[in-house]
């Protein structure tokens, strides 16, 4: 990849062939504008929902991911007018590559809370372990993708090996994301099976029992599954895309990109917004959080669960 000089300094569509551009097609104006506007609207909705329900941890990942998606599609809109602009290409490439890692983090923090709703006794891992392990995997994936993008961006045209090393690091980051998502889905399915097979061992606290029998809770679980699968499909596509290099036919297929990148992430974020945990947890989002600090007995802490006009004090695991 040549980047020692921005090719927009001397190339336009009138003076240079499209094969000299950073992408071998003219990015769609309508399609990219739609995605930019779509993600901007969902970002505004997430801000309102976070303020209303104080779901800050969930919001943090979605905020980072949506901001990166917006910047990425802004870069693609700039490429529509001039596909030779290197800075716009970097905006698109780096932001849209690493953005979904932030979205995955929001999904990961939900599983530990779901386990608390149903009951920890049938879970293979503690609620906090799910969050710590998968968010750590997500962070590693993010670092690898960002580092690979940075290395690739500084490689000149005659530094093929350096550029390829950057691509390989990005692929490693995306591949690690695919693996962590696959493991996450496997553990979710395993826990769902245990919930189905062991109804007598589920949490019997009235509010939590009522919650996991409600329609909006089941809709939340379905939306979370769809979002996870959509990000997984997108990540598999990006691994295959980068494996062939930036100038491969797959990396320059706009239709596949708009469907397997744009549409998959749009579906994921729509699910994570329409079925927001602040609404679907029915006021139990704060009650299902875990802390690194343990209570005096080392295992238990008191939480207040409001059931009717008076508060009922229950003991639950501090994880």
């Amino acid at each position: 990849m040549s980047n020692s000089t921005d090719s927009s300094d001397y190339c336009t569509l009138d003076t240079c062939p499209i094969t000299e551009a950073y992408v071998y097609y003219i990015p769609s104006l309508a399609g990219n504008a739609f995605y930019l506007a779509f993600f901007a609207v969902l970002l505004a909705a997430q801000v309102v929902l976070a303020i209303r329900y104080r779901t800050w941890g969930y919001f943090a990942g979605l905020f980072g991911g949506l901001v990166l998606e917006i910047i990425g599609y802004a870069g693609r809109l700039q490429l529509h007018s001039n596909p030779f602009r290197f800075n716009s290409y970097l905006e698109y490439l780096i932001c849209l590559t690493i953005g979904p890692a932030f979205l995955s983090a929001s999904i990961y923090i939900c599983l530990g809370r779901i386990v608390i709703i149903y009951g920890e006794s049938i879970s293979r891992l503690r609620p906090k372990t799910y969050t710590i392990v998968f968010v750590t995997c997500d962070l590693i994936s993010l670092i690898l993708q960002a580092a690979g993008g940075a290395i690739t961006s500084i490689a000149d045209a005659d530094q093929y090996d350096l550029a390829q090393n950057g691509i390989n690091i990005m692929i490693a980051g995306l591949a690690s994301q695919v693996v962590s998502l696959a493991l996450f889905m496997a553990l979710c399915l395993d826990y769902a099976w245990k919930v189905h097979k062991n109804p007598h061992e589920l949490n019997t606290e009235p509010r939590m029992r009522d919650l996991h029998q409600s329609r909006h809770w089941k809709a939340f679980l379905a939306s979370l599954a769809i979002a996870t699968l959509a990000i997984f499909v997108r990540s598999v596509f990006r691994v295959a895309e980068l494996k062939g290099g930036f100038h491969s036919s797959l990396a320059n297929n706009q239709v596949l990109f708009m469907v397997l990148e744009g549409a998959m992430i749009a579906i994921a974020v729509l699910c994570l917004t329409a079925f927001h945990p602040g609404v679907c947890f029915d006021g139990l989002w704060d009650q299902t959080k875990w802390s690194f600090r343990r209570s005096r007995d080392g295992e238990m802490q008191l939480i207040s669960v409001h059931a009717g006009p008076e508060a009922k004090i229950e003991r639950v695991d501090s994880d």
Side-chain angles (χ1 to χ4, degrees), residues 186-201:
L187 287 173
C188 286
L189 289 172
D190 175 70
Y191 187 72
W193 177 251
K194 288 180 178 294
V195 168
H196 175 70
K197 296 295 290 183
N198 301 279
H200 58 286
E201 295 186 36

Side-chain angles (χ1 to χ4, degrees), residues 85 122-123 126 151 164 174 203 220 222 228 256 267 283 290 299:
R85 297 182 62 177
I122 58 175
S123 175
R126 291 174 177 267
I151 292 172
Q164 189 58 48
L174 284 166
N203 194 327
F220 166 73
T228 304
L256 282 179
I267 290 170
W290 55 267
E299 291 293 333

Side-chain angles (χ1 to χ4, degrees), residues 56 64 91 94 124 129 146 166 175 230 250 257 293:
W56 302 117
E91 285 180 29
I94 295 176
R124 293 187 185 277
T129 303
L250 186 59
F257 179 88
R293 297 183 61 184

Side-chain angles (χ1 to χ4, degrees), residues 72-300:
Y73 283 102
R76 285 181 64 82
L77 284 176
Q78 295 173 61
L79 289 175
H80 170 80
S81 59
N82 187 352
F84 302 95
R85 297 182 62 177
F86 179 68
N87 290 337
S88 301
Y89 177 71
L90 281 187
E91 285 180 29
Y92 137 63
L93 176 67
I94 295 176
C95 292
L96 294 190
T97 298
I98 68 177
F102 287 89
L103 304 179
S104 297
S106 291
I107 293 175
Y108 292 153
I109 69 171
C110 291
L111 180 56
R113 294 171 183 266
I114 291 170
V115 168
I116 292 175
I117 293 293
Y118 281 109
E120 299 179 46
S121 62
I122 58 175
S123 175
R124 293 187 185 277
L125 302 174
R126 291 174 177 267
K128 71 177 181 181
T129 303
Y130 287 110
T131 302
I132 293 171
V133 169
F134 287 108
V135 171
T136 299
C137 290
D138 214 41
L139 180 61
I140 294 171
S141 169
L142 182 62
I143 292 172
L144 288 172
Q145 291 176 55
I151 292 172
T152 303
S153 70
I154 63 174
D156 292 329
D158 57 350
Q159 294 180 303
Y160 174 81
D161 289 342
L162 181 61
Q164 189 58 48
N165 286 338
I167 294 172
N168 291 339
I169 294 174
M170 291 180 72
I171 292 173
L174 284 166
S176 68
Q177 186 176 5
V178 169
V179 171
S180 62
L181 281 167
L183 179 59
F184 177 78
M185 289 189 292
L187 287 173
C188 286
L189 289 172
D190 175 70
Y191 187 72
W193 177 251
K194 288 180 178 294
V195 168
H196 175 70
K197 296 295 290 183
N198 301 279
H200 58 286
E201 295 186 36
L202 301 185
N203 194 327
T204 58
E205 195 283 314
R207 283 194 67 190
M208 293 190 180
R209 184 185 62 238
D210 292 342
L211 176 61
H212 60 67
Q213 293 175 348
S214 65
R215 290 183 178 180
H216 62 268
W217 174 255
K218 293 175 181 177
F220 166 73
L221 295 180
S223 70
L224 204 66
I226 292 170
T228 304
L229 184 59
I231 295 176
F232 179 78
V233 170
R234 171 266 173 193
S235 299
V236 171
F237 164 70
R238 292 305 298 272
V239 170
E241 178 193 44
L242 287 179
K243 190 172 180 60
F246 293 119
H247 301 305
S248 67
S249 59
L250 186 59
N252 288 281
N253 188 318
Q254 179 167 212
V255 174
L256 282 179
F257 179 88
M258 298 298 278
V259 173
L260 295 179
E261 168 69 36
M264 290 299 103
I265 298 304
I267 290 170
V269 180
L270 180 61
C271 287
L272 297 174
T273 305
F275 299 94
H276 191 273
V279 177
C280 296
F281 269 69
D282 195 24
L284 291 173
W285 179 260
D286 283 340
Q287 281 84 352
T288 54
K289 67 183 178 181
W290 55 267
S291 172
F292 283 107
R293 297 183 61 184
R294 292 186 178 274
S295 55
R296 185 174 300 176
D297 63 7
E299 291 293 333
M300 311 290 284

Side-chain angles (χ1 to χ4, degrees), residues 2-13:
S2 175
N3 57 8
S4 56
T5 303
D6 193 330
S7 60
S8 64
D9 291 340
Y10 55 86
C11 265
T12 67
L13 289 171

